[in-house]
Amino acid sequence: QVQLQESGPGLVKPSESLSLICSVSGGSISTSVHYWGWIRQPPGKGLEWIGNIDYVGTTYYNPSLKSRLTISLDTSSNHFSLMLTSVTAADAALYFCARGGDAGFGEFEYWGQGILVAVSS
Amino acid sequence: DIQMTQSPSSVSASVGDRVTITCRASQGVSNWVAWYQQAPGKKPHLLIYAASTLQTGVPSRFSGSGSGTEFTLTISSLQPEDFATYYCQQAHSFPYTFGQGTKLEI
């Protein structure tokens, strides 16, 4: 059974960078043909897709975040990561990592529990 | 970006009721639509993908239909555990986008 777990700081200062890791167990991120994604949810609001990375490292970013965003794979540690630079209060959210489904219709089948990130000085 | 508009934003219903949630895309997305259920403070749970395919393990009271720009999620007989927020998502084009959510309340 595939399991995902987000980790990282719960508090980031404005203008600094946010770095999150999604640790994957139950499957290899480099041999799986699935895509891996980040989605966030501001408190009390809906879901926003941040970006995807596929198993060979090709990335797809939300244009609204693209200039500040990097998603990468670490195959040796079997995790993928998110880095978002120059954060503001608008980046405060519950951040989820997820894995695409077997069908490959862009659905997210497996999700981490989420990590709550606050932005404050 | 493709906008996904859900209606209603909230709905009150009772155990045993049939409920339908609609999602309209601002442009055609073929059948590249998924539906999720999210309980408060929990991660989303995939219900339907490819507009109408039931995810393994999801009860058969959930069903999805539609193609192009209009999609529906139907729960045939509400159970107590179904009271949650539901989201549609399009994956036809990047950036993927979600509907604003429909809160299903008792």
Side-chain angles (χ1 to χ4, degrees):
Chain A
Q1 176 78 343
V2 175
Q3 294 186 338
L4 296 89
Q5 179 67 58
E6 305 88 350
S7 60
L11 178 65
V12 182
K13 291 183 169 59
S15 79
E16 295 191 344
S17 294
L18 167 65
S19 291
L20 298 175
I21 286 174
C22 181
S23 300
V24 178
S25 59
S28 169
I29 64 170
S30 61
T31 58
S32 165
V33 296
H34 301 97
Y35 45 88
W36 308 89
W38 288 98
I39 300 99
R40 70 182 182 181
Q41 185 171 37
K45 296 189 177 181
L47 300 166
E48 178 184 28
W49 176 76
I50 298 171
N52 281 6
I53 187 165
D54 68 19
Y55 69 110
V56 295
T58 304
T59 53
Y60 307 84
Y61 294 156
N62 192 321
S64 67
L65 299 169
K66 186 175 183 177
S67 63
R68 302 190 290 128
L69 180 64
T70 302
I71 296 175
S72 58
L73 290 178
D74 184 335
T75 56
S76 61
S77 301
N78 211 44
H79 71 233
F80 62 105
S81 61
L82 171 152
M83 186 170 73
L84 188 64
T85 62
S86 304
V87 300
T88 70
D91 295 311
L94 183 60
Y95 283 76
F96 295 101
C97 60
R99 198 206 80 175
D102 293 336
F105 268 84
E107 77 281 10
F108 292 104
E109 180 177 1
Y110 296 99
W111 294 68
Q113 296 300 320
I115 183 168
L116 186 61
V117 176
V119 177
S120 176
S121 55
Chain B
D1 298 2
I2 297 174
Q3 306 302 315
M4 302 295 282
T5 304
Q6 287 182 234
S7 60
S9 295
S10 65
V11 56
S12 295
S14 301
V15 173
D17 284 354
R18 179 185 180 91
V19 169
T20 297
I21 299 168
T22 298
C23 185
R24 289 188 173 86
S26 60
Q27 61 190 76
V29 295
S30 185
N31 65 335
W32 291 75
V33 167
W35 289 93
Y36 302 88
Q37 175 193 65
Q38 187 180 33
K42 301 294 187 182
K43 60 185 176 182
H45 175 58
L46 177 66
L47 300 173
I48 301 281
Y49 63 89
S52 61
T53 304
L54 194 67
Q55 171 67 10
T56 301
V58 174
S60 59
R61 63 180 180 273
F62 291 92
S63 64
S65 66
S67 182
T69 61
E70 186 154 337
F71 302 86
T72 60
L73 172 71
T74 298
I75 311 171
S76 60
S77 178
L78 279 171
Q79 298 302 301
E81 61 268 30
D82 299 337
F83 291 93
T85 299
Y86 294 83
Y87 294 93
C88 60
Q89 174 218 340
Q90 69 80 20
H92 178 270
S93 306
F94 290 114
Y96 292 173
T97 47
F98 292 87
Q100 81 277 18
T102 295
K103 187 173 184 179
L104 180 51
E105 301 174 297
I106 298 174

